[in-house]
Amino acid sequence: MFSITTTVAKSYRLLVSTATALIIGTAMLSTASAADIATSYNNSCAACHDSGALNAIKKGDSAKWQQLIKQKGMPALIKSVKSGMIQMPAGGLCTDCSDDDYRKLIEYMSK
Ligand code: HEC
């Protein structure tokens, strides 16, 4: 899993124009297990939030994440992921995440 994600992240940096193809490829990997947050993260959010591709806030940048959680509040952030943003596709590439999964994923990235 990790090496696939790393390859995807690297490819993003090299060839943003192929992002769509990679998004489809990654989305197909992300259908299985929303129960395991680390796996869900690796299969979906990591494509952007691991490397900071497309200016996504990086996993582990807790100062930025904490500020955002304080500013907008968790429900608004969950809503952002579900409906998508400027560069983030709706659902963040997770096809079977519940609101609770998104909350856990955001908390996971903020650590
Ligand atoms: C295709 C790249 C991509 C993927 C995949 C992705 N994100 Fe994002 N995300 C972004 C970008 C880029 C931003 C910054 C806002 C923007 O430009 O859209 C962002 C912003 C966010 C924000 C801040 C929202 C706000 O209101 O400011 C949250 C929360 C978030 N992402 C969570 C997630 C979660 C959870 C996942 C996985 C289920 C995920 N993202 C998957 C690219 C991505």
Side-chain angles (χ1 to χ4, degrees):
M1 269 327 159
F2 184 72
S3 64
I4 293 167
T5 306
T6 311
T7 312
V8 171
K10 275 188 191 147
S11 307
Y12 260 99
R13 262 173 279 169
L14 292 174
L15 283 171
V16 177
S17 60
T18 61
T20 313
L22 289 164
I23 284 168
I24 293 164
T26 314
M28 284 162 77
L29 289 173
S30 70
T31 47
S33 52
D36 184 345
I37 291 307
T39 305
S40 291
Y41 171 77
N42 284 330
N43 288 346
S44 46
C45 325
C48 302
H49 288 278
D50 233 31
S51 62
L54 311 173
N55 277 331
I57 308 154
K58 279 193 189 183
K59 177 187 184 308
D61 190 344
S62 44
K64 274 209 188 129
W65 278 112
Q66 291 309 330
Q67 195 192 5
L68 200 64
I69 291 167
K70 230 172 153 178
Q71 238 171 34
K72 296 194 175 178
M74 189 54 93
L77 296 183
I78 293 168
K79 213 172 145 212
S80 297
V81 187
K82 279 168 59 176
S83 48
M85 282 189 83
I86 309 158
Q87 307 251 48
M88 179 162 57
L93 296 184
C94 184
T95 49
D96 60 353
C97 283
S98 64
D99 284 15
D100 197 49
D101 292 327
Y102 285 128
R103 181 182 56 74
K104 285 183 191 150
L105 284 165
I106 294 166
E107 279 167 1
Y108 180 76
M109 286 198 278
S110 73
K111 289 188 180 127

